[in-house]
Amino acid sequence: MNSSLMLRRCFCFQSSTSSSSSLSFCSKKKPLVFLGSPQVSATVLDTLLSASTAPDSLFEVAAIVTQPPSRRNRGGKVMPSPLAQYALDRGFSSDLIFTPEKAGEDMFLSNLKALHPELCITAAYGNILPSKFLNIPPLGTVNIHPSLLPLYRGAAPVQRALQDGVKETGVSLAFTVRALDAGPVITCERLEVDDQIKAPDLLELLFSEGSKLLIRELPSIFDGSARVKAQPQDDSKATLAPKISPEESWLSFDEEALVLHNKVRAFAGWPGTRAKIVVIDEKNGHQNIVELKIITTRVCGLRNIQGNVDDITFVKGVLVFPCGGNTALEVLELQLPGKKVYSAAAFWNGLRGQKLKKL
């Protein structure tokens, strides 16, 4: 974990009921079904599987629901979701890993009902859950959502929060309702956000903390006191975090450097951020347009941009891109199509004296 990330535990809502004592007399473990798909959801599953093996565990993971197998790369072979692969590697029965195209399929719902799950847990599952699914577990469905609800409801809460340059975010446990991420919040935890952290790292951190939060709250969820203490969201304060599209990945250097830096952090991993520059050979005047993937950046300190405002310069190991508002973006790492990630210094040395301009 980045040492500059300061975690502050926030018991947003205090329970008035002690939950563990009322469940200690139960001899039979309660069946729980877990839904997730990407690698970060495997963090949650790992925590659940480990906790379920404890002698005093209240539950067992009865089944896993995840996205169907798909091709990870163009032309690649069909692979199970990262969560499914992790479960198989842990020795989880393949017969108990369900991969419906949609969570409302009759056959899937029939199989789910046969397990008599007391509770369902979701973490980045990726499919809409219809009412006929939500009506199955008597204790409901609880979602681990990587934002401080009602902020950033939707498919890309971490990415949109970083894009907005937030200084604080968090993870919420909330009951799932038909409306998008709008259910009552059981509890949350807050996190101060370092201005250099990227979306994949923050996502992993939030789901890791969400896993701990879930284990702490499971007794109250099982005895029903979580339902009593859960607080309804204030819809008037809700903000949305819509799905990211590849078309958003382009950088425009007419924008200020901080805006671009936050976008690079937010879109790290997928879809990434791209820019086109002009490489100029001053010996023969030849110009070549090159597409770059911008990997790591920081906002340049106070700097008077001299000369042509389109010139990209190399200063103290970084490429400096002039941006809007008389600001500048420092690029520390970048990538050419089909190539490995280069440091700015390695890229500059490879130019052999050629000059760079913004396009």
Side-chain angles (χ1 to χ4, degrees):
M1 186 185 300
N2 191 322
S3 60
S4 59
L5 291 170
M6 299 175 60
L7 188 64
R8 296 187 285 113
R9 191 171 297 277
C10 170
F11 303 112
C12 296
F13 315 114
Q14 298 295 326
S15 172
S16 60
T17 305
S18 175
S19 56
S20 58
S21 60
S22 62
L23 288 170
S24 60
F25 300 104
C26 295
S27 59
K28 184 179 179 182
K29 292 187 176 183
K30 299 178 183 294
L32 177 154
V33 171
F34 179 69
L35 298 86
S37 293
Q39 188 61 45
V40 288
S41 61
T43 300
V44 184
L45 178 60
D46 177 74
T47 302
L48 285 170
L49 289 175
S50 297
S52 70
T53 61
D56 59 347
S57 173
L58 303 171
F59 69 94
E60 62 182 0
V61 180
I64 292 167
V65 184
T66 188
Q67 296 279 9
S70 63
R71 286 184 172 84
R72 303 282 179 84
N73 301 305
R74 187 177 299 174
K77 65 178 182 178
V78 174
M79 300 284 289
S81 75
L83 178 71
Q85 187 61 60
Y86 176 81
L88 292 169
D89 292 343
R90 281 281 303 247
F92 201 85
S93 172
S94 60
D95 293 337
L96 295 173
I97 300 176
F98 301 137
T99 59
E101 290 284 347
K102 295 182 178 180
E105 293 177 7
D106 290 339
M107 180 62 73
F108 163 65
L109 292 176
S110 177
N111 290 332
L112 183 65
K113 288 177 182 178
L115 295 172
H116 302 289
E118 289 282 322
L119 174 71
C120 291
I121 301 292
T122 60
Y125 171 47
N127 269 350
I128 295 173
L129 300 178
S131 296
K132 53 187 178 179
F133 174 96
L134 297 176
N135 291 336
I136 293 175
L139 294 176
T141 297
V142 172
N143 182 41
I144 300 177
H145 188 77
S147 81
L148 296 173
L149 291 170
L151 301 179
Y152 298 104
R153 295 175 177 175
V158 170
Q159 294 90 335
R160 297 303 183 187
L162 286 179
Q163 190 178 6
D164 288 345
V166 300
K167 300 299 183 184
E168 181 183 68
T169 187
V171 58
S172 303
L173 287 186
F175 285 104
T176 301
V177 296
R178 285 290 293 128
L180 180 66
D181 297 323
V185 176
I186 301 168
T187 190
C188 68
E189 230 173 90
R190 297 177 182 273
L191 182 74
E192 292 181 4
V193 181
D194 180 80
D195 61 9
Q196 288 294 126
I197 194 170
K198 298 176 183 178
D201 297 324
L202 182 55
L203 196 64
E204 182 179 354
L205 177 61
L206 289 172
F207 275 105
S208 175
E209 295 305 321
S211 302
K212 300 171 189 174
L213 201 63
L214 174 64
I215 295 301
R216 194 190 77 203
E217 291 295 331
L218 272 176
S220 70
I221 295 171
F222 282 129
D223 75 6
S225 61
R227 179 72 73 174
V228 175
K229 74 172 181 176
Q231 297 292 304
Q233 296 184 40
D234 184 347
D235 291 340
S236 69
K237 296 180 179 179
T239 59
L240 298 180
K243 184 178 179 180
I244 295 168
S245 68
E247 291 74 24
E248 294 182 75
S249 65
W250 290 102
L251 297 179
S252 170
F253 293 102
D254 293 334
E255 295 184 291
E256 292 192 4
L258 181 59
V259 173
L260 299 180
H261 172 62
N262 288 337
K263 190 172 185 178
V264 170
R265 298 162 59 215
F267 291 7
W270 189 91
T273 43
R274 298 177 291 167
K276 289 183 179 180
I277 62 172
V278 182
V279 180
I280 303 170
D281 190 331
E282 294 187 322
K283 294 178 181 178
N284 55 26
H286 179 72
Q287 298 187 8
N288 185 32
I289 297 175
V290 175
E291 179 182 318
L292 299 175
K293 189 172 184 179
I294 307 299
I295 305 297
T296 304
T297 59
R298 65 181 176 222
V299 177
C300 187
L302 295 175
R303 174 177 178 269
N304 293 321
I305 300 175
Q306 300 177 352
N308 192 322
V309 294
D310 289 332
D311 287 345
I312 301 168
T313 55
F314 182 71
V315 181
K316 295 181 179 179
V318 300
L319 292 171
V320 180
F321 286 68
C323 301
N326 201 37
T327 61
L329 183 71
E330 296 181 355
V331 174
L332 286 68
E333 293 180 310
L334 65 163
Q335 186 177 19
L336 291 165
K339 303 293 184 180
K340 65 179 184 180
V341 174
Y342 289 98
S343 67
F347 177 76
W348 184 262
N349 290 337
L351 292 173
R352 301 180 183 276
Q354 297 178 99
K355 302 300 181 185
L356 302 178
K357 284 185 179 291
K358 297 187 302 179
L359 183 62

